[in-house]
Structures are given as C-alpha cells and as structure tokens.
Amino acid sequence: MQQARIDLVKKLFKQTLPAVDFASIRYHNDRDDQVAVRQGVLEPLRTGQDEGVMVTVHHRGGVGYAATSELTESGVRTAFERAVAWAERLGKAAVTNFSRIDMPHHRGEFKSPVRKPWESMTLKAKVDLLTDACNRLKRGSEIVDWAAELWHMRTDRLYLTNGGGEIFQSFDRMVPSLVVTANRGPETVTRTFGRMALCRQQGFEILIESGFNAASERIADEALELLAAPNCPEGKMDLLLAPDQMVLQIHESIGHPLELDRILGDERNYAGTSFVTMDMFGKYQYGSPLLNVTFDPSRPEQAASYAFDDEGRPAERQFIIKDGILLRPLGATVSETRADYDGVASARADSWRRPAIDRMSNLNVEPGKEFFDDMVESVEHGVYMQTNCSWSIDDSRNKFQFGCERAQLIENGKLTKVVKKPNYRGISSSFWRSLKAVGNGSTLEVLGTPNCGKGEPNQAITVGHASPPCLFANVDVFGGE
C-alpha cells in the first residue's frame, strides 16, 4: 500500500473522529488476479481491485457501523454520522452494553512471508507455466476437460482507534489448482489437485512445496483409473482420512459449531445454530483423548495467519480442544464479553463493506505419533479417502454426510483396490470420539480454503486447516450407486 494512502486515512480519521466511547476505522486495499488455461487455451484474465473504509462506533450503549469508498473528509464524516446514529438507536435494544466493552488499542504490523512474489514472474511466464501444466493433464482421449489456474490475492489493511491503536497488516495469498475430468460411456469422474485447499500465504514457492509442478500426470492417471474402478462398498469400517479431506471435516464439524456468535444465536436465521452450548466448555468430551485442536494464527505460511484480528486484538496460538476436552469457543472480544467466557482473536471481515464477525482463522489438528504406513497396517478392514468433493451437514452442525474424489480399500493392513464415489456419514458429537490414530509431524499438510462463507450479508473469507491423516473406527461408509 502506498504511504500516501496510509497518510490519507490517518488524516481523515483525525479530522472526522466523533466524540464517542469507542471509534475505529478499518481501511482495506484489496487486489486479486486469476490466470487460467483450459484445454490448452488461455482463459480471459481476471483482475479486481477494491478500496474503502469501515467505521465502527460504540456510543450510549449501542454499536453502529458504516462503510464508504469515498475517501474524502466529507465521505468519512458522513459514515461516522451514520454509525453514531445507528449506535444511539440500537443502544436501547442492544444485546449487551457496547460502551462497557474494553476494546483493544494496540500498535503493530504483520506481513506475509513471501519469498517469490506475484510480480517476480511475467504474465507470459505465468501463462507458459500453466499451459505446460494444463497440457500434461491431457493423458488420453478419455480426458474430456482439463485446466490449470493460479489465483493471487493481496490485502493491505490499516486499523486505527480513538485510543491510539494503529495496526498495519499486508497479506499475500496464492491458490494453485489443477482439475481434470474423464469420461467413458455413462461414467464421468473429476479429480483435482486439492480442490482449492492449497491456499497459503506464499508466493511462487508454493508450486514447489505443494508438488504442483509434478502433479498433472498423477491426477490425470488417477481420473482414468477411477473410470474403471468399482463403487466404494457399503458398511461399518475403519476410515482413514487424508489431510485434504480432514480440511472439510475440521471446518464443518469443529470450526463452525464452535463459533461463539453462532452459539449465541446470531446466525440462526441464515446459517443455523450449533449443537454446542456454553455449559460444555471446560468439560465436554468432544473427541477421543488423541484429539488436540489449536487456534493458531502464528504459523507463517498458513492461509489465515495474522498478528491482530480486525478488532485489533493480538493473536496467539491457543488450544481449543486438548486431549479431547472442549476448552474454549471461537469468539472474539465482543462475543466473549456477551458470553462472559474467554475466546480468541477471531474477529474478521472479508472487505471494507462488512463488520468483523467471529471466524475460524487457522484451526488445526495437532500431529500425533503415528507414521502413515503404521496406521494402514493397523487396519484389518477399512478405506482410505482423499480430497473432498461434496458435503452436507445439518443446521446445528451435528449430523453430516461427506463425499470424496478417490478412495482405496485397506485389507489386512495393506492399501489395495481403488474405489470411486466414496462417502461416509456421522454425527459430530460422536464421530470425533472414534478417533483412534493421528499421523505424526511428517504427515502434516498445511492447507486452507479461500471461500468460507458466513454472515448476513454473506462474507467469503480465507481460513486455514493444517492436519495429518487421521484414522476413525467403525464409521458408516457407502458408495455412490
């Protein structure tokens, strides 16, 4: 972000700051670029840029927000006037006394640890790289669609408060993706490289570290192999989930149920509630003693790392679940005040148009002690599933049914036959208690997604989930027939 824009926002905040209990301004300058090659042909380039501010006011017990892209004294002053009016109006009916909330006023900076930035490669070099990756996906006449893509996102944010708080954070994220579809007669299958789960705060180094450069032939061959594979069998069996399916399992059945605003009822009209209630924290057996889950915005390369959340609270690694026991919710300063229970630095907004709400950031399953081969050898009758492709979960985030792109049977301790259309179902509150083995640090993969949706109006935001493969006992598995 240019220093001139920083200076402008500071000047406007100083000129327009109202006399209220708390006031802040959050400035966003967002840019994203997408380059894609499909069937060997360059797709239209996509570039977006967005800039504006959100002002927040706590006044006379209420809270008010207003956003504007008019970065002038008149524009920001009008936004503050609207926010103050909303705070005065809502103070009479607010769910808590916002004027009594002790909002943070910290100063600091954060910058993504990018080694090979987006600008280090010319557009021609990017197109050539994707064309090569795309062409290598075409492994035969039964490959009917194939594409390679790079998505880069850069967000610069400045957060100022009336108590002297000043935080500047700059985020660079990249999402490489490959997708291939194969067809034979009535059968069509799609295989992807992580299905958008390879989202990290990295530059082009992600291509080597994730294995992108060597993945085209493998996923194309796996798609062709799935065409001839039988459907996944049905029945109760051990289930070994790869990290690129654990992303979805963590996200839907731990992350969303533990969002404190959802537990307090704020999401009821839109995305539902949670089977978790406040009396569970500190004592509820969420999973087996092998389950350890952290809220960890400190892993440098992970998609949702930051030094401060969007309410200016310092972020730190904290256990959400330890030895299977539920410890704390994913609730930021405002929600934890309402609930009178300690949360985490999880207030985030997806743009300058939206207020910060409780989000997951990085929510990770901590490594256990098992090597992958040892987990396979421990299974007499089971299945190993990779890469999520479908999901369904009820509005309390309890009963779920998830599908994967690919699976292999595990028979007498060995990976054997490939099967297609694998699915499994369970209940969050009991599924995690069936966890019987967790991969060690050598099996951990750092993954994430750029499009977690929540809030009304909807906010699509980046979240991170690092996980090793995990083994679950006696799960209800079924195929796609």
Side-chain angles (χ1 to χ4, degrees):
M1 184 167 59
Q2 295 179 352
Q3 185 63 43
R5 305 305 282 174
I6 297 176
D7 294 340
L8 173 63
V9 176
K10 290 180 179 178
K11 176 184 174 183
L12 294 175
F13 185 58
K14 187 176 181 180
Q15 289 175 333
T16 60
L17 184 61
V20 293
D21 300 315
F22 170 79
S24 69
I25 188 168
R26 172 166 41 83
Y27 167 78
H28 286 231
N29 189 320
D30 301 335
R31 179 186 173 93
D32 72 286
D33 299 276
Q34 290 176 271
V35 183
V37 175
R38 184 177 182 183
Q39 298 186 17
V41 178
L42 178 64
E43 296 277 277
L45 301 175
R46 286 177 284 178
T47 297
Q49 187 148 15
D50 199 15
E51 182 186 55
V53 297
M54 167 67 76
V55 301
T56 301
V57 165
H58 293 185
H59 183 55
R60 297 182 181 175
V63 60
Y65 308 99
T68 181
S69 60
E70 185 183 341
L71 297 184
T72 63
E73 181 177 347
S74 172
V76 176
R77 189 180 300 283
T78 299
F80 266 124
E81 289 172 353
R82 289 176 180 167
V84 171
W86 274 113
E88 291 179 344
R89 189 178 304 173
L90 295 177
K92 303 169 184 174
V95 294
T96 190
N97 187 334
F98 282 85
S99 294
R100 293 181 180 175
I101 297 176
D102 187 15
M103 297 299 292
H105 298 277
H106 295 282
R107 302 173 71 88
E109 293 185 357
F110 175 87
K111 185 173 178 59
S112 299
V114 173
R115 299 198 298 277
K116 297 180 180 179
W118 180 254
E119 295 80 7
S120 68
M121 185 179 286
T122 64
L123 175 60
K124 180 179 184 307
K126 293 166 188 161
V127 172
D128 289 347
L129 182 150
L130 292 172
T131 301
D132 176 63
C134 182
N135 289 340
R136 286 186 285 114
L137 289 166
K138 180 66 172 171
R139 300 276 284 179
S141 60
E142 291 179 317
I143 300 293
V144 295
D145 196 13
W146 59 102
E149 179 176 326
L150 287 173
W151 181 10
H152 170 254
M153 295 164 276
R154 175 169 295 151
T155 298
D156 291 332
R157 295 186 186 183
L158 177 67
Y159 179 75
L160 307 171
T161 72
N162 62 342
E166 181 176 324
I167 296 167
F168 174 67
Q169 301 189 94
S170 181
F171 307 99
D172 267 85
R173 300 182 175 95
M174 194 175 291
V175 188
S177 65
L178 298 168
V179 58
V180 59
T181 299
N183 170 262
R184 181 183 300 161
E187 193 67 62
T188 300
V189 298
T190 295
R191 187 80 174 106
T192 67
F193 182 60
R195 193 171 284 270
M196 303 294 285
L198 282 162
C199 176
R200 295 183 190 164
Q201 291 192 56
Q202 288 186 309
F204 286 106
E205 63 269 22
I206 191 176
L207 300 182
I208 295 175
E209 296 181 13
S210 68
F212 175 88
N213 290 335
S216 292
E217 292 84 353
R218 175 179 61 80
I219 69 165
D221 289 346
E222 288 177 350
L224 294 171
E225 184 181 33
L226 286 169
L227 283 178
N231 276 316
C232 181
E234 182 175 344
K236 295 276 189 180
M237 63 187 76
D238 285 355
L239 173 63
L240 180 57
L241 294 181
D244 61 3
Q245 171 59 22
M246 284 297 296
V247 169
L248 192 281
Q249 189 68 55
I250 298 166
H251 187 91
E252 300 292 351
S253 67
I254 294 180
H256 281 308
L258 298 187
E259 291 163 342
L260 185 51
D261 54 357
R262 181 188 295 266
I263 295 171
L264 294 173
D266 291 0
E267 289 278 303
R268 186 181 296 120
N269 289 341
Y270 180 55
T273 60
S274 173
F275 73 92
V276 175
T277 54
M278 289 305 301
D279 61 335
M280 293 181 176
F281 291 100
K283 59 187 178 186
Y284 181 70
Q285 189 76 44
Y286 204 98
S288 83
L290 297 174
L291 181 63
N292 291 288
V293 178
T294 54
F295 170 88
D296 189 5
S298 66
R299 181 181 283 273
E301 79 280 22
Q302 199 163 3
S305 292
Y306 48 81
F308 301 87
D309 72 3
D310 285 339
E311 291 174 343
R313 177 172 172 170
E316 59 179 335
R317 179 177 182 268
Q318 293 177 292
F319 276 91
I320 301 300
I321 298 171
K322 188 169 178 56
D323 301 329
I325 301 297
L326 180 61
L327 297 182
R328 64 178 64 232
L330 300 172
T333 301
V334 171
S335 293
E336 72 174 12
T337 302
R338 289 173 55 192
D340 193 23
Y341 203 96
D342 288 344
V344 294
S346 59
R348 302 172 66 203
D350 75 341
S351 78
W352 57 269
R353 299 179 183 83
R354 301 288 182 257
I357 57 178
D358 295 337
R359 307 303 297 251
M360 289 180 226
S361 75
N362 298 329
L363 191 68
N364 304 332
V365 168
E366 294 296 306
K369 298 180 179 179
E370 305 295 330
F371 287 96
F372 180 80
D373 289 346
D374 292 337
M375 287 194 286
V376 172
E377 288 178 10
S378 71
V379 176
E380 181 178 344
H381 173 56
V383 62
Y384 171 54
M385 294 191 190
Q386 297 172 277
T387 319
N388 179 264
C389 66
S390 68
W391 63 96
S392 176
I393 190 164
D394 71 22
D395 62 359
S396 66
R397 300 285 160 168
N398 201 9
K399 296 179 181 177
F400 64 81
Q401 177 175 305
F402 299 148
C404 293
E405 292 181 1
R406 181 179 188 272
Q408 264 184 284
L409 299 183
I410 306 175
E411 299 170 299
N412 299 316
K414 296 185 183 303
L415 287 169
T416 61
K417 186 187 303 179
V418 171
V419 293
K420 64 188 175 187
K421 300 178 182 176
N423 301 272
Y424 64 100
R425 61 173 72 94
I427 299 174
S428 299
S429 57
S430 58
F431 179 80
W432 290 100
R433 293 180 208 151
S434 71
L435 179 65
K436 59 186 290 189
V438 180
N440 61 25
S442 70
T443 69
L444 184 87
E445 293 186 23
V446 179
L447 302 170
T449 177
N451 53 10
C452 168
K454 184 188 171 187
E456 191 175 20
N458 186 66
Q459 299 191 41
I461 208 164
T462 300
V463 300
H465 299 301
S467 177
C470 289
L471 180 62
F472 300 86
N474 200 33
V475 177
D476 189 6
V477 170
F478 59 101
E481 291 183 288

